Amino acid sequence: MKSGKYSCNTRSETIEWITAIIDFLKPFSFLINAHVVNFFKDKQWEDVDEEWMSCLRNEKPENILLIPSGSVQDHWPASLTDFVHTLRSLSFPREQADLQTMLSDVNVAPLSTVLSQGMNLKKKHEVEVLSSVVSSVVNSVGESTVIDVGSGQGYLAQVLSFQYKHSVVAIDSSSHHGNVTDARAARIRKHFASQMRKSGSGNKCPDAPTTITCRVLSTEMLKSLTNVPLEENDLDLDAAALNEGPKSSQSSSDANRPCSLVLAGLHACGDLSVTMLRTFMECEEVKAVVSIGCCYNLLSEKASESSCSKCGFPMSAGLKSLGFSLGKNARDLACQSAERWSSLGEDAGLQNFELHSFRAAFQMVLSKHYPEVLATSPSIGRQGKAFRRQKQRKALETPSKLETNTDKKSMTHTSSSFEKFCLSAFSRLNLERPQDLDLSATWNEAHAFTELIGPYWSIRAALGPVLETLILLDRLMFLQEQGDSIQVTMLPIFDPTISPRNVAVIAKRLLP
């Protein structure tokens, strides 16, 4: 577990890395805490080094898109190059690890068409890899029941059941997901049973996962699930009952209670990943945990050290002692993916910058005509995706005209496109267009600075991988602080170009 000169194999190494990140980030809090929708309104480009912006405003779009990936150009200012390189050195590596070298007994086997039915490329890749990792962990700690936390439609749970022959419980907050999981598992089981009859093997068909519908809101709730009898399928549990904690003398529960558990979570959202790690530490029956987090924007965070004993960030005593907090904008920024930025391509990148320009210019409109709405931090929904689809359709219909839009100046676009954007935004916010509103004048006011929004956004996005690294190192150090009885590692297990949230925290209890 190493990135350049930083390592995290021990608590002391991890806290050194964390301290370096915090020291680096502090001078750039203005970037981290910026709302880019206020780019024009607040003249945000003036906060960034003037030499950087002067250089980047004339840079090729493809080079600007590579800034979050750590790529620099020879003619850039030395201070900008140092900024990008330092960010890269502070970020946890995302290149997919050689799992067979790093973990014992890992053999990533391709999924059959039956098991992969309904999965897109990203999900198939994630489930193929993670199921092999979880199976390896289960084999290393002894026979255990896998608890798939936040199981969704049960893809991971079903592969662990039918391909790797493990006992699995799938927990999800959606009863619809539970029903889909059961129906899909029944079809898969029917196929496996048919194959066994035809082969005459006489082997028992693997059991389908047990499904539990329950919104896991706390460590206590997840711990209580270890008391649930597992012979019943499709359990819909009452959260209040679970919050009462484990029942003390119920022979039926005790008889069916698994003596060994492994928690697994594929992109368990927000605090759910944190809850898994705390449950691993507090529940002796949980012998191991494999957690891949996501949705850092949904993490809970408290300002004071005394009030954050159960919050999502920070977890570790080491980070709490430093008194550092992220804030919502930093957690949002931690979700940025350098790999997705670099894979956009010039046209898609320009469209992105153009849409950010539209949204920031619309913020000027709200500021002038609807300040009371602006105070509520309004969301205008998926405007960007809708506009991208429109442009893609137009490009297919008139490919010859697309060539005229590849120049960097195209991101300013026309005032008519901005007007369409604003009219759609007014509609989504249930607002009337002000009679005295001159959208052409608004766009002309913003026009001269639109070529700065791409550089600004990319410089800010480059901070994302470092912020995610800080969140991951906090989780790692929380486990390292528990002593030598815990073996913990952190590995990028997916191809980051397919699945950017690819870092797994893997922890096991060592036998006494």
Side-chain angles (χ1 to χ4, degrees):
M1 296 182 285
K2 190 174 183 180
S3 173
K5 64 179 182 179
Y6 297 103
S7 299
C8 54
N9 295 311
T10 65
R11 270 183 293 173
S12 60
E13 289 179 347
T14 304
I15 194 64
E16 181 183 356
W17 194 342
I18 286 173
T19 303
I21 289 174
I22 291 174
D23 289 345
F24 180 81
L25 291 178
K26 284 179 179 177
F28 298 101
S29 60
F30 71 93
L31 265 177
I32 294 170
N33 295 319
H35 290 272
V36 184
V37 293
N38 296 320
F39 183 76
F40 299 124
K41 183 175 76 70
D42 295 343
K43 297 182 179 180
Q44 290 175 338
W45 62 88
E46 294 182 351
D47 295 328
V48 182
D49 189 305
E50 185 177 355
E51 189 180 16
W52 295 9
M53 298 304 285
S54 297
C55 172
L56 294 177
R57 75 185 302 164
N58 298 312
E59 188 57 74
K60 294 178 181 178
E62 58 265 36
N63 291 338
I64 292 174
L65 290 167
L66 290 174
I67 290 175
S69 297
S71 178
V72 299
Q73 305 302 312
D74 292 339
H75 60 276
W76 287 4
S79 58
L80 175 57
T81 297
D82 182 61
F83 170 81
V84 176
H85 283 164
T86 302
L87 283 174
R88 195 64 174 170
S89 71
L90 289 169
S91 299
F92 192 80
R94 300 309 163 92
E95 296 78 16
Q96 186 177 15
D98 183 347
L99 297 178
Q100 289 185 322
T101 300
M102 302 299 294
L103 300 171
S104 61
D105 192 32
V106 171
N107 181 23
V108 180
L111 302 182
S112 67
T113 55
V114 174
L115 282 172
S116 63
Q117 186 177 11
M119 298 184 195
N120 59 24
L121 174 65
K122 176 176 178 289
K123 184 63 68 176
K124 184 171 182 287
H125 171 69
E126 291 168 346
V127 172
E128 273 185 351
V129 175
L130 183 57
S131 59
S132 68
V133 171
V134 173
S135 182
S136 168
V137 171
V138 172
N139 293 336
S140 70
V141 299
E143 186 176 348
S144 303
T145 293
V146 180
I147 309 291
D148 182 5
V149 183
S151 58
Q153 298 188 44
Y155 294 134
L156 175 64
Q158 288 154 7
V159 172
L160 288 168
S161 290
F162 292 108
Q163 180 161 308
Y164 290 97
K165 311 295 192 297
H166 296 301
S167 169
V168 183
V169 178
I171 302 173
D172 196 84
S173 62
S174 168
S175 58
H176 170 69
H177 283 165
N179 293 335
V180 169
T181 298
D182 287 340
R184 191 173 184 275
R187 292 195 299 271
I188 295 171
R189 195 174 193 282
K190 183 177 180 181
H191 167 81
F192 272 77
S194 174
Q195 293 295 103
M196 287 179 177
R197 283 195 301 270
K198 289 178 181 178
S199 66
S201 65
N203 293 332
K204 180 189 174 186
C205 183
D207 291 329
T210 297
T211 56
I212 295 178
T213 299
C214 174
R215 187 176 184 186
V216 178
L217 299 174
S218 66
T219 303
E220 288 69 28
M221 288 179 68
L222 190 52
K223 286 165 64 178
S224 294
L225 291 173
T226 65
N227 272 337
V228 174
L230 300 182
E231 77 276 7
E232 302 176 40
N233 240 15
D234 199 18
L235 297 170
D236 197 340
L237 299 179
D238 177 70
L242 285 174
N243 270 329
E244 293 175 4
K247 306 298 182 185
S248 58
S249 56
Q250 296 185 358
S251 58
S252 60
S253 291
D254 293 341
N256 292 285
R257 180 174 182 171
C259 60
S260 181
L261 299 171
V262 171
L263 298 182
L266 173 54
H267 294 149
C269 196
D271 282 352
L272 190 53
S273 292
V274 173
T275 299
M276 289 173 61
L277 299 182
R278 287 202 171 104
T279 303
F280 165 68
M281 291 311 310
E282 296 176 15
C283 187
E284 290 185 1
E285 288 81 8
V286 180
K287 307 303 181 186
V289 60
V290 182
S291 171
I292 302 172
C294 74
C295 303
Y296 306 121
N297 53 309
L298 299 179
L299 281 173
S300 62
E301 183 179 9
K302 300 291 178 66
S304 65
E305 181 180 339
S306 60
S307 64
C308 63
S309 61
K310 292 294 184 181
C311 64
F313 181 91
M315 288 188 74
S316 66
L319 189 44
K320 288 176 185 177
S321 69
L322 297 176
F324 183 81
S325 61
L326 286 172
K328 185 180 183 305
N329 285 355
R331 297 196 305 271
D332 287 342
L333 191 52
C335 299
Q336 288 288 340
S337 163
E339 288 74 22
R340 283 188 174 161
W341 274 80
S342 62
S343 65
L344 273 180
E346 182 178 353
D347 290 340
L350 287 173
Q351 288 176 23
N352 255 313
F353 297 156
E354 179 181 83
L355 289 167
H356 287 307
S357 298
F358 286 172
R359 179 62 184 89
F362 180 67
Q363 194 81 342
M364 296 168 66
V365 173
L366 291 177
S367 178
K368 181 177 181 180
H369 296 276
Y370 289 102
E372 73 283 0
V373 174
L374 194 65
T376 66
S377 300
S379 171
I380 60 173
R382 296 176 177 267
Q383 289 277 86
K385 287 192 175 182
F387 267 72
R388 274 195 291 273
R389 284 195 294 267
Q390 290 175 14
K391 293 200 72 169
Q392 287 166 355
R393 284 198 295 269
K394 187 176 290 187
L396 290 172
E397 293 166 2
T398 57
S400 60
K401 294 182 180 180
L402 182 63
E403 296 175 8
T404 64
N405 286 334
T406 58
D407 185 82
K408 185 174 181 179
K409 297 297 181 183
S410 71
M411 74 177 178
T412 60
H413 210 330
T414 63
S415 60
S416 62
S417 294
F418 173 62
E419 183 170 353
K420 290 177 183 177
F421 182 95
C422 290
L423 294 177
S424 176
F426 280 134
S427 175
R428 287 172 183 253
L429 294 174
N430 294 317
L431 299 175
E432 294 290 335
R433 173 177 176 169
Q435 292 185 348
D436 61 341
L437 173 60
D438 185 347
L439 288 173
S440 294
T442 301
W443 185 246
N444 288 335
E445 183 182 349
H447 186 126
F449 305 103
T450 53
E451 61 187 4
L452 296 175
I453 202 165
Y456 183 89
W457 185 271
S458 295
I459 289 171
R460 185 172 182 271
L463 293 162
V466 177
L467 289 164
E468 184 185 15
T469 297
L470 180 61
I471 293 170
L472 293 171
L473 290 175
D474 174 50
R475 296 176 181 184
L476 176 68
M477 190 161 67
F478 167 77
L479 294 169
Q480 289 174 332
E481 289 170 346
Q482 310 307 317
D484 296 336
S485 62
I486 303 298
Q487 181 187 75
V488 57
T489 188
M490 203 160 72
L491 289 176
I493 67 171
F494 302 141
D495 180 340
T497 62
I498 300 174
S499 181
R501 301 277 83 78
N502 71 338
V503 178
V505 177
I506 305 170
K508 296 187 287 188
R509 294 187 191 279
L510 298 178
L511 295 175

